[in-house]
Amino acid sequence: MRKLLVVFAVLLAFTVFAEEVIKIGAIFPLTGPAAATGVKIKYAVEVAQEIINGEHPEIELLLGKSAGLPNLNGAKIQFVFADHQANPELAMAEAERLIRNEGVVALIGCYHSSATKPASQVAEKYGIPFIAGSSSSAALTERGLQWFFRIAPHDGMETVFFFEYLKYLNQKYNANVKKVAVVYIDNEYGVHAAQMVKEKIKDYQADGFSIVADVKYPAGATNVDIEVQKIKGAKPDAIFHASYIGDMTMFVKKYKEFNVVPKVVLSYCGGYQDPQFVINLGKDADYFAGPNATTSALFKKMAILAKINEMYKAKSGVDIDGPTLEDFASAIVIAEAINLAGSTDPQKVLNVLKTGTFMAPYFVSGRIKFGPDGQNIYSASVMTQILDGIYEAVWPEQYQTKEPVPQFPDWNKR
Amino acid sequence: MMFLQVVLTGVLVGSVYSLVAVGLTLVWGLMDIINFAHGDMMMISMYTVFWLYTLLKFDPFVSLPISAGITALLGIVIYKLVIKRVVNAPGLMALLATFGLSLFIRNFAQFLWTPNYRFVGESILSGKRILIADIVIGLPQLIAALGSILMTLLIALFIKRTKTGKAIQATAQSRDIAELMGVNTEKVYAVTFALSGICVGVAGTLLSGIFPVYPEAGAMYGLLAFVIVALGGFGNIWGAFYAGILIGLTEALGGFYLGTQFKYALAFLIYLLVLQFRPKGLFGW
Amino acid sequence: MPRPLLEVQNLTMKFGSLVANDDVSFVVNEGEIVSLIGPNGAGKTTLFNCISGFYKPFSGKVIFDGKDITGKSTHQITSMGLTRTFQIVKPLKDMTVKENVLTGAFLHANSKREAENLTDQVLRMTHLWDKKDMLAGSLTIADKKRLEVARMLATKPKMIMLDEAMAGLNKTEIKEAMELCVNLNKNGMTLLIVEHVMEAIMPISNRVVVLNAGRKIAEGSPQQIINNEEVIKAYLGERYYAKSRQINGGI
């Protein structure tokens, strides 16, 4: 009995004198089919935690300078990780658990839009903020939720980005890109992207753009021969692709076989951005382009990015990539919001998130601000093009690491 | 010209479908077993080719005998461990057993090799093509089709002409009688499963380089094989062959003229229509 | 000195709690024609199935040509020289008559040529030669039964078991079948025949074994069996037997 009292006293002492720790839930696919990606995101979030909690004056972030959150007496942030295994039900359950049992004051996650959806619904129910970094489904910000925020651009913004880039090519290089073909996989991702193209192109008709082919193909297709034959027949100047790595690779091989030579190929977040793309296709991957939140080519142009990458690479062994950077951003932003609010009170943090502008010098766009629907109004992406096997940043100009090649060469001239 | 190109695509793609279907129809016709894991055996052969290529730099053609051998063995193992127990059980049992087997193989492949999409990068055929007027014939596709046709022919000859082939024929018609004729029907079953494995092993190898290698790679081929077998008549090798070409053409022509998103829906539609009017399949059984 | 070719020793076969064969024992000597009779449901076909490897007996032994074949698979038993026909004919319908027989010939033949020769021989012996290229499914019942026998013979058996082979045949066909049995037997074949057509088998059998309700109730020469009380009771029922005794001025 006496022993028990002593233990109890010691524990009490710990809780009373312990430093204040602010817990934030982080739900990602740490095991299961997307584990490779989920684990990398975990490393990035851990890097964010280190920057926030430690003194890193060399990293010019608001919270880098001092240890912990300055407005809360140096309170430390602890990201509590949970694994959803690419299972939406699990994501939902973990969100509940983190809020009720762990007492987290906010949530970030989940990479998979299908997991982000239910998890953020739980956050909404409990009235705590949820920031999604990399989940890109447009539907997420169309739900009318109050507590949900998202950093990555959605496909509507990407589509505008595509058209602006084409305009740039036309203006600067006389590329004369007018006819657009949309090629997309038959699922929510592809279909929604295609819808966005049809919607946004209306604003660009004055610039001469038109859709000459709409090619939807089934998931798991055994071949894309017919699709490519149709595309070839339409003779597009630009092809917009919403495809994953497997189908994208097949398309590229078929383009080569059938000698389809468009001027530009732009890809939504999917196969093009997958590192397997260059591995699978070698030289044939060159000249394809698409948006990315970051690329290793930018490290030499953006010092802060390089420093963050250094810390990240030390943990993961690889350079940081776009989606991972977006989730890193979500970790930084939520901590900054709590700090600016001067409290963990959800309503106060919410107000900061809704009204504030957050500096994001690691993004090409430089900042993050959330619109009324929770969507980051600044597109975090930079247009990249694969040149000599490297994702070079080609637009906007001030972040160019190489000039874009506005026209595909013939296949046999690579 | 476009039409010819589309038809050609249909025939080339359909030939490979045929080979996969032939493997399935052999087993279905002989043992009345619906092997849901058929497509997944093909996936295993694709991974075999991929790893031999990545680790030992083997060209897929060099790997052909090895990957076919491995899937043949896999067929025998599947027969002995799973199929044997459900051969005489009510129909649903066999379905459930092979369905479960399919899930197991896919998940195991994902566990071992991750769900990432791989490609066999460079083989002696990759990137090459034949140009006749305006028509493009990819060499990998052509060889895949020719190889599939050759393999189908070999299987048909084997069944018709060899002693084992006759034993298979007899067992297919009556297991009891075959036993009374001194045929070791247990061995016949195992051999047939091995043949089924060889079919998908060869098909998978021929497809490597054209098709991504990932745990679900066999899914669509397996599914189409069911349709083709039903169309061609269970156990009917040439039926499966022609039906495969038919499905390939349906996919190509339907996809091109009606819409690529309907490619497979059309194939299934044809299947439903044929079953309405000729339930035993186009060529009976 | 008669040598036992087939020995059934204390064979019992159960399906759950239903006992189909109860401790049955008998012997068929080399060169004999033995008939196995009994009312429907006596367990005759079950016994055949146990002997020929289609069922594994619950207990007991089956010894053929000195070797224990209990529980062996059918194809092994066939290759050792023991085979059977079925009550319901099962031709391989989609093959020709010749192909049907050829399947069996392959068992012991060393080459295709040898198998074909054997097939031709057998076809002639069973009067199926002219029909050799017909599809087996299109034959008459009588011819289908001939085909069963032909297929069997192609496997070069030492002993054959016929399961109600004469059912459905007319008088002429029955006579032919009897002749065939006798001829085969003259050439050294041992036969075990299950039959209901008594006039056909009694004249040609060396011995008769009688089963009733799973048990062997009698064994002896045809003459002995006809007059056996138990046998008559089994076929005609207790009451009728009693009545017939009364009428004959029995008790």
Side-chain angles (χ1 to χ4, degrees), chain B residues 9-276:
Chain B
T9 296
V11 171
L12 291 179
V13 168
S15 303
V16 182
Y17 289 167
S18 291
L19 181 57
V20 178
V22 165
L24 187 64
T25 209
L26 276 177
V27 164
W28 203 329
L30 178 71
M31 304 180 218
D32 230 349
I33 292 278
I34 305 174
N35 184 8
F36 268 115
H38 191 63
D40 303 303
M41 299 202 300
M42 186 174 94
M43 175 265 292
I44 296 290
S45 95
M46 295 177 85
Y47 267 104
T48 308
V49 173
F50 172 75
W51 286 117
L52 287 173
Y53 171 80
T54 308
L55 298 173
L56 297 174
K57 303 271 179 286
F58 279 16
D59 188 279
F61 280 97
V62 173
S63 305
L64 185 68
I66 304 176
S67 64
I70 289 189
T71 33
L73 241 114
L74 182 63
I76 297 180
V77 167
I78 290 178
Y79 169 70
K80 293 224 183 267
L81 289 180
V82 179
I83 307 293
K84 205 160 126 170
R85 293 153 209 272
V86 294
V87 165
N88 291 317
L92 204 55
M93 292 299 319
L95 229 79
L96 289 174
T98 58
F99 185 72
L101 185 63
S102 165
L103 286 179
F104 173 73
I105 297 180
R106 290 190 204 183
N107 278 297
F108 195 60
Q110 183 171 290
F111 170 72
L112 283 180
W113 301 313
T114 83
N116 287 329
Y117 287 68
R118 322 287 181 95
F119 266 84
V120 171
E122 291 296 313
S123 75
I124 46 174
L125 294 176
S126 59
K128 297 202 178 62
R129 64 207 176 128
I130 301 175
L131 272 172
I132 301 180
D134 249 344
I135 310 249
V136 176
I137 310 176
L139 208 52
Q141 281 82 351
L142 182 64
I143 299 294
L146 291 176
S148 298
I149 297 174
L150 180 64
M151 197 66 216
T152 304
L153 197 64
L154 286 174
I155 299 266
L157 281 175
F158 179 81
I159 298 287
K160 201 145 204 315
R161 299 281 171 86
T162 65
K163 186 168 158 191
T164 313
K166 291 218 188 292
I168 295 177
Q169 280 183 59
T171 310
Q173 291 182 55
S174 167
R175 190 176 189 183
D176 289 341
I177 295 295
E179 280 277 334
L180 277 176
M181 297 297 105
V183 170
N184 184 343
T185 57
E186 172 70 15
K187 222 167 95 177
V188 163
Y189 279 7
V191 165
T192 306
F193 245 93
L195 279 179
S196 171
I198 292 179
C199 283
V200 286
V202 171
T205 309
L206 293 171
L207 284 174
S208 63
I210 327 177
F211 195 70
V213 180
Y214 61 107
E216 308 276 324
M220 188 56 87
Y221 282 96
L223 199 56
L224 288 172
F226 289 118
V227 171
I228 295 170
V229 166
L231 267 182
F234 305 96
N236 188 336
I237 295 179
W238 287 113
F241 179 74
Y242 295 123
I245 306 282
L246 177 66
I247 291 296
L249 283 170
T250 307
E251 183 191 325
L253 289 165
F256 191 80
Y257 292 107
L258 292 175
T260 46
Q261 63 267 43
F262 303 123
K263 291 202 298 194
Y264 299 115
L266 282 166
F268 295 126
L269 189 63
I270 298 269
Y271 165 65
L272 287 172
L273 285 174
V274 170
L275 280 195
Q276 267 294 0

Side-chain angles (χ1 to χ4, degrees), chain A residues 149-150 352-358 367-371 374-378:
Chain A
F149 301 89
R150 189 245 306 270
V352 171
L353 285 170
K354 278 195 181 292
T355 56
T357 302
F358 301 90
R367 55 222 155 116
I368 296 170
K369 184 172 166 64
F370 300 108
Q375 174 64 47
N376 177 9
I377 63 177
Y378 297 110

Side-chain angles (χ1 to χ4, degrees), chain C residues 6-15 19-22 24 26 36 43-64 68-74 77 82 84 86 161 163 192:
Chain C
L6 176 70
E7 295 169 72
V8 176
Q9 298 173 351
N10 305 103
L11 190 135
T12 298
M13 183 61 196
K14 284 197 208 180
F15 297 107
V19 181
N21 293 132
D22 193 350
V24 177
F26 65 93
L36 182 63
K44 309 185 293 292
T45 299
T46 306
L47 188 60
F48 262 28
N49 285 340
C50 285
I51 297 172
S52 58
F54 285 94
Y55 292 160
K56 195 165 146 66
F58 177 77
S59 66
K61 270 203 214 176
V62 181
I63 306 211
F64 180 75
D68 188 344
I69 61 167
T70 325
K72 277 201 194 297
S73 56
T74 306
I77 295 174
L82 174 62
R84 63 163 302 176
F86 284 104
M161 306 197 293
D163 197 349
L192 177 61

Side-chain angles (χ1 to χ4, degrees), chain A residues 229-296:
Chain A
Q229 284 164 33
K230 283 193 110 160
I231 296 168
K232 184 172 177 172
K235 300 204 210 317
D237 299 316
I239 305 179
F240 288 4
H241 255 282
S243 304
Y244 298 121
I245 182 68
D247 17 306
M248 191 71 197
T249 308
M250 282 205 287
F251 268 102
V252 175
K253 286 178 181 258
K254 275 296 153 183
Y255 287 149
K256 181 170 175 179
E257 189 178 297
F258 280 79
N259 203 31
V260 174
V261 187
K263 293 181 183 157
V264 183
V265 176
L266 301 177
S267 291
Y268 289 91
C269 254
Y272 163 81
Q273 288 82 353
D274 190 317
Q276 282 286 120
F277 190 65
V278 175
I279 297 174
N280 287 343
L281 294 164
K283 284 209 320 193
D284 294 336
D286 278 356
Y287 310 110
F288 285 85
N292 217 321
T294 194
T295 166
S296 54

